[in-house]
């Protein structure tokens, strides 16, 4: 190992220069995320825990297929559903 002496302590791998947000700032930051990578980075840096839910197939219910217009009108995209779950996790904590 270059430049390391034996006995050196490895520091924890935090994000340098990142300040934790309070709940209000965090909810605003979630709403401002424009991509999955931004949302996942926020989840990682803030240590947000999201609960998994069962899929409709697990209960033998046929999934409802939405048309493109319904998806746009309801904002029912996978990204929006994930954002909603992250908001819920932050609000409940």
């Amino acid at each position: 190992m270059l430049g390391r002496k034996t006995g050196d302590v490895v520091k924890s791998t935090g994000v340098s220069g990142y300040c934790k947000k309070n709940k209000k700032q965090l909810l605003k930051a979630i709403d401002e995320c424009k991509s999955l990578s931004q949302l996942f980075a926020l989840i990682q840096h803030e240590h947000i825990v999201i609960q998994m839910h069962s899929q409709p197939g697990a209960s033998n219910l046929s999934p409802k297929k939405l048309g493109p217009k319904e998806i746009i009108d309801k904002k029912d995209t996978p990204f929006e559903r994930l954002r909603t779950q992250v908001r819920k996790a932050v609000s409940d904590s």
Side-chain angles (χ1 to χ4, degrees):
M1 292 185 203
L2 297 174
R4 291 193 73 189
K5 299 176 188 173
T6 56
D8 285 345
V9 177
V10 177
K11 294 182 180 179
S12 66
T13 57
V15 178
S16 67
Y18 183 82
C19 297
K20 289 270 191 184
K21 297 175 178 6
N22 63 33
K23 191 180 280 193
K24 184 178 178 181
Q25 292 171 330
L26 191 52
L27 291 172
K28 183 179 179 198
I30 291 167
D31 290 336
E32 292 174 349
C33 286
K34 301 292 182 199
S35 68
L36 278 174
S37 61
Q38 287 176 331
L39 189 57
F40 283 131
L42 193 59
I43 291 167
Q44 181 182 19
H45 297 326
E46 293 289 336
H47 303 287
I48 299 170
V49 177
I50 303 169
Q51 297 291 324
M52 292 182 66
H53 299 281
S54 63
Q55 296 296 321
S59 62
N60 291 327
L61 296 174
S62 59
K64 180 182 176 189
K65 302 234 180 188
L66 299 176
K69 184 166 176 30
E70 289 177 304
I71 291 173
I72 292 169
D73 290 345
K74 294 181 180 180
K75 290 190 176 184
D76 191 27
T77 62
F79 178 66
E80 288 300 326
R81 285 182 287 208
L82 178 61
R83 186 191 322 240
T84 301
Q85 289 301 316
V86 174
R87 282 187 60 81
K88 184 177 176 185
V90 169
S91 297
D92 293 345
S93 64

